[in-house]
């Protein structure tokens, strides 16, 4: 379980394919605090630490994860938003994030708005995911509030601090991002379908 509050930006130092799996080797300042079997969110994707060596740790993404996320396009030198699992004795500063990506979305617009940056994303509505204005959404693991919600797209406004301290600063029109829709909205939507 996560909050969507990014701890730091990690760097992919190596990527290896093995059958249908993708092994990612990530450098972070908190690697020395990690343990094998610990969950860490990478651009919002919950992955298990399987090896640690110095400042670099390894995680493995399986075919199911690669099919639903943009992790398969990562290369050495790319950055990822990192968040370790939530501690139950802390404030929940973002929103409830599972680290289970629902689908990807494409950045279709970036607008400077005098103190904030508005990003608009298009997604495939046929998968049944729900977005509501002022609701929560996770983009590359970052907990954000939806500004505008349409049938197949939404926008978020990002403060300068969040932009500077996440890899959202590198987004361009056409960039693919991982999206996790609000867990409460997903349950309500499923109940309504029944």
């Amino acid at each position: 379980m996560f909050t969507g509050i990014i701890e730091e930006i990690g760097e992919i130092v190596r990527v290896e394919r093995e059958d249908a799996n993708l092994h990612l080797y990530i450098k972070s300042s908190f690697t020395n605090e990690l343990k094998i079997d610990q969950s860490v969110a990478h651009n919002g994707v919950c992955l298990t630490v399987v090896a640690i060596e110095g400042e670099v740790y390894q995680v493995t993404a399986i075919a199911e994860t690669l099919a639903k996320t943009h992790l398969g396009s990562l290369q050495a030198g790319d950055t990822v938003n990192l968040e370790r699992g939530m501690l139950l004795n802390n404030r929940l500063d973002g929103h409830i994030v599972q680290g289970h990506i629902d689908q990807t979305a494409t950045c279709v617009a970036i607008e400077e708005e005098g103190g904030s940056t508005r990003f608009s994303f298009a997604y495939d509505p046929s998968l049944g995911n729900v977005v509501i204005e002022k609701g929560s959404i996770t983009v590359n693991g970052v907990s954000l509030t939806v500004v505008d919600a349409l049938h197949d797209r939404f926008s978020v406004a990002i403060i300068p601090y969040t932009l500077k301290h996440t890899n959202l600063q590198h987004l361009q029109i056409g960039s693919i991002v991982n999206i996790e829709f609000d867990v409460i909205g997903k349950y309500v939507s499923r109940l309504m379908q029944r």
Side-chain angles (χ1 to χ4, degrees):
M1 194 69 70
F2 304 93
T3 65
I5 303 299
I6 303 305
E7 287 187 67
E8 76 169 81
I9 301 172
E11 179 187 353
I12 305 291
V13 295
R14 194 165 86 232
V15 176
E16 293 178 355
R17 289 227 176 247
E18 180 185 16
D19 298 323
N21 294 342
L22 184 69
H23 303 295
L24 300 169
Y25 297 82
I26 297 113
K27 181 179 180 181
S28 82
S29 66
F30 58 67
T31 299
N32 64 331
E33 299 173 36
L34 296 176
K35 296 180 173 84
I36 303 297
D37 289 336
Q38 189 170 2
S39 295
V40 178
H42 303 78
N43 281 353
V45 182
C46 179
L47 297 171
T48 302
V49 175
V50 296
I52 300 170
E53 187 174 323
E55 295 180 310
V56 177
Y57 67 93
Q58 177 190 344
V59 293
T60 300
I62 62 173
E64 169 72 10
T65 303
L66 295 173
K68 290 188 175 177
T69 70
H70 79 316
L71 292 185
S73 66
L74 292 176
Q75 301 174 358
D78 287 344
T79 60
V80 287
N81 294 324
L82 299 176
E83 180 188 1
R84 289 178 283 181
M86 176 173 55
L87 296 171
L88 293 179
N89 63 348
N90 281 348
R91 290 181 179 88
L92 179 61
D93 289 324
H95 71 278
I96 297 170
V97 177
Q98 295 180 299
H100 303 157
I101 302 305
D102 296 300
Q103 65 185 92
T104 58
T106 304
C107 182
V108 294
I110 303 171
E111 304 167 69
E112 296 301 321
E113 295 190 326
S116 67
T117 306
R118 182 185 293 231
F119 291 88
S120 296
F121 299 95
Y123 66 96
D124 179 358
S126 71
L127 299 177
N129 292 304
V130 177
V131 180
I132 61 167
E133 290 183 18
K134 308 305 179 253
S136 298
I137 196 158
T138 307
V139 177
N140 272 359
V142 182
S143 173
L144 298 168
T145 301
V146 176
V147 174
D148 294 313
L150 301 172
H151 173 67
D152 63 349
R153 62 186 57 215
F154 66 91
S155 64
V156 293
I158 299 175
I159 63 173
Y161 179 89
T162 302
L163 195 61
K164 180 179 179 183
H165 291 91
T166 67
N167 69 2
L168 300 181
Q169 64 187 290
H170 303 300
L171 292 183
Q172 301 173 2
I173 293 175
S175 293
I176 306 297
V177 295
N178 293 323
I179 301 296
E180 181 179 331
F181 295 87
D182 181 64
V183 66
I184 296 169
K186 289 190 281 190
Y187 278 105
V188 169
S189 175
R190 181 61 59 92
L191 288 170
M192 296 299 287
Q193 292 172 7
R194 290 183 179 183

